[in-house]
Amino acid sequence: MSGAGPTADRRCTVWRHARLATLAGPSGWGLVEDGALVTRGAHIAWIGPDAQLPSGLATPDAHEQDLRGALLTPGLIDAHTHLVYGGDRAGEFELRLQGATYEEIARAGGGIRSTVAATRAASDDELFTGAAQRAQALMAEGVTTIEIKSGYGLSELHEGRCLAAARRLARELAVTVRTTSLGAHALPPEYAGRADAYIDAVCGWLGAQQAAGLVDAVDAFCDTIGFTPEQTQRVFEAARALGLPVKLHAEQLSNQEGAALAARYGALSCDHLEHLSDAGVAAMRTAGTVAMLLPGAFYFLRETKLPPVAALRGAGVPIALATDHNPGSSPALSLLLMLNMACTLFRLTPEEAFRGVTVHAARALGLADRGTLVPGQRADLAVWDAEHPRELAYRFGHNPCRRVMFGGFERLTPSGPRERAPEAGALP
Ligand code: DI6
Ligand code: FE
């Protein structure tokens, strides 16, 4: 566990006397008792037992921080959110508690489409401010990377405004944002009865979104109240033509064999998956696609059909977890709560759950530079008031995050700005 690179005179921090959960290697926590970790610039330069900390590794002006036994882990990654939208759906929540189903509300023109109306009516600043507040709630729990989907604008103009708000978050907050274009989330009212024409429009505006630097990946909602596999495939073809990776909201409410379709396009992840078939599991394994489980939506929609965790585990499909934060099916703003829910509801082990918001979440975003504490990885770190990482999945409604380092700079508070302006090139 060594490997300082030859990078010159960049600012260093030496974290000493920490319990490290490195997640290095294919399984296990990778625990190092009384460990040390050296960051240089935006990256991890060295990690290992404190007693083996090499002298002369850090620059003379390095900040030295004694963590006195606190737990140090990779920063957390929320790899599936819909953070940018207007309004809320608390009234719909009440309707569902009185017996209306999510599908019934959607078919009656509520659901996603009511959020679309509120999103279109919101100003750019309102979209940004609402999303920033939600992002900071996630960041307070040690989140350093967030994926944000569009999908509540549903026109070229409004989808672009939502993706631009997501990009602005990355400029103004100390967090990495990956954007996903989800025009194929629901049918907007002006295209009622013309789903194929709407899909043509979605495919048509992807190129301009990409040219504007607004999109890192493409997603769709393939389900009875979403789009058909054929329509989904057309979106995937358009993404492939542009060289954009795909992912899919698959088998959430029904089995459309969407996961197998997505796997044929080399999808980064398939998400939800309660109704995933054995064929879908096999296709995901072959393609190396991550299974993104979303316990917040399962819980909030009071679903009873469990995702096939044993089959995914048996096939060696990497499992990730995310909040799926959105106003309709998962208004959750705690990734730590998802750890607990994934264990209690889906029977993941605490280690599987934690890998799901670190290593496997990074993979679901196609990011190879984060998710573990290994030399060369980004210095995205979280310090916890905990003795063992399993405690992060055990307690709920409790936030033990004490400090966060983002790309080699400590945030002033866990959700706050960087302690000082970044050096050019040090941050994404
Ligand atoms: N599945 C979901 O759970 C979210 N989107 C999707 O395709 C829900 C979005 C919403 O209800 O606003
Ligand atoms: Fe979602």
Side-chain angles (χ1 to χ4, degrees):
M1 290 225 271
S2 63
T7 46
D9 68 359
R10 304 275 296 281
R11 164 194 149 102
C12 290
T13 302
V14 185
W15 300 89
R16 301 198 61 180
H17 306 298
R19 284 213 169 86
L20 304 172
T22 67
L23 303 171
S27 63
W29 294 101
L31 286 180
V32 181
E33 294 294 332
D34 195 17
L37 184 150
V38 180
T39 70
R40 183 181 296 131
H43 296 97
I44 298 170
W46 187 89
I47 182 164
D50 193 274
Q52 294 172 21
L53 185 63
S55 59
L57 181 68
T59 51
D61 62 343
H63 294 226
E64 194 166 303
Q65 307 277 346
D66 185 349
L67 287 180
R68 281 178 260 158
L71 177 69
L72 187 68
T73 72
L76 306 190
I77 300 170
D78 192 351
H80 180 141
T81 83
H82 310 244
L83 277 194
V84 180
Y85 57 84
D88 67 66
R89 305 245 289 279
E92 177 184 316
F93 175 52
E94 288 181 324
L95 286 177
R96 285 198 297 105
L97 291 173
Q98 287 158 21
T101 68
Y102 182 75
E103 286 97 326
E104 283 164 2
I105 291 167
R107 289 187 196 287
I112 294 176
R113 275 192 278 169
S114 75
T115 299
V116 171
T119 301
R120 290 176 174 181
S123 69
D124 290 350
D125 277 339
E126 285 166 344
L127 289 178
F128 170 77
T129 304
Q133 286 169 353
R134 297 187 274 269
Q136 284 182 295
L138 296 172
M139 291 162 66
E141 290 188 344
V143 170
T144 48
T145 301
I146 306 177
E147 185 258 16
I148 300 178
K149 301 172 195 297
S150 66
Y152 292 115
L154 307 190
S155 72
E156 182 164 14
L157 169 68
H158 293 292
E159 287 287 295
R161 291 202 309 128
C162 292
L163 292 168
R167 283 285 190 244
R168 185 175 159 197
L169 286 178
R171 290 196 301 274
E172 300 200 15
L173 304 180
V175 69
T176 299
V177 172
R178 300 294 283 180
T179 56
T180 300
S181 183
L182 178 57
H185 192 197
L187 193 61
E190 60 273 20
Y191 277 92
R194 298 188 297 131
D196 283 313
Y198 178 63
I199 291 296
D200 288 342
V202 169
C203 295
W205 71 51
L206 279 178
Q209 286 178 348
Q210 185 187 36
L214 291 175
V215 50
D216 299 317
V218 175
D219 194 352
F221 182 28
C222 182
D223 220 312
T224 47
I225 58 168
F227 294 93
T228 64
E230 292 70 27
Q231 290 160 346
T232 301
Q233 183 164 4
R234 286 206 284 132
V235 174
F236 286 173
E237 285 291 336
R240 175 180 277 178
L242 295 167
L244 288 168
V246 302
K247 52 183 73 180
L248 188 65
H249 283 70
E251 337 308 10
Q252 178 185 7
L253 306 169
S254 63
N255 177 25
Q256 306 284 320
E257 298 295 347
L261 168 66
R264 285 202 296 282
Y265 284 81
L268 289 170
S269 69
C270 291
D271 305 40
H272 287 287
L273 300 177
E274 281 83 348
H275 294 261
L276 180 65
S277 68
D278 289 345
V281 173
M284 288 174 66
R285 175 187 49 196
T286 304
T289 298
V290 173
M292 178 76 67
L293 305 185
L294 304 171
F298 175 90
Y299 161 81
F300 196 63
L301 297 183
R302 307 180 77 234
E303 299 288 355
T304 52
K305 181 143 175 60
L306 288 160
V309 168
L312 290 167
R313 193 187 273 138
V317 174
I319 296 173
L321 301 175
T323 59
D324 189 20
H325 175 88
N326 74 73
S329 71
S330 186
L333 286 169
S334 169
L335 192 54
L336 291 180
L337 178 59
M338 299 305 115
L339 296 180
N340 180 272
M341 283 187 174
C343 295
T344 52
L345 299 173
F346 296 165
R347 290 280 178 255
L348 264 61
T349 67
E351 182 206 321
E352 286 173 326
F354 199 68
R355 283 182 173 266
V357 298
T358 51
V359 194
H360 295 159
R363 178 165 166 172
L365 297 180
L367 296 173
D369 65 345
R370 65 198 71 198
T372 59
L373 301 182
V374 170
Q377 290 256 298
R378 263 182 72 86
D380 286 352
L381 315 171
V383 178
W384 308 91
D385 182 11
E387 296 195 350
H388 191 285
R390 64 188 166 217
E391 291 170 44
L392 302 179
Y394 158 66
R395 294 189 184 86
F396 58 98
H398 171 64
N399 180 10
C401 183
R402 293 293 172 264
R403 302 169 73 170
V404 174
M405 178 172 258
F406 174 68
F409 288 86
E410 188 166 1
R411 294 182 189 155
L412 283 174
T413 63
S415 64
R418 303 174 183 100
E419 62 182 310
R420 63 176 201 186
E423 300 153 90
L427 295 161

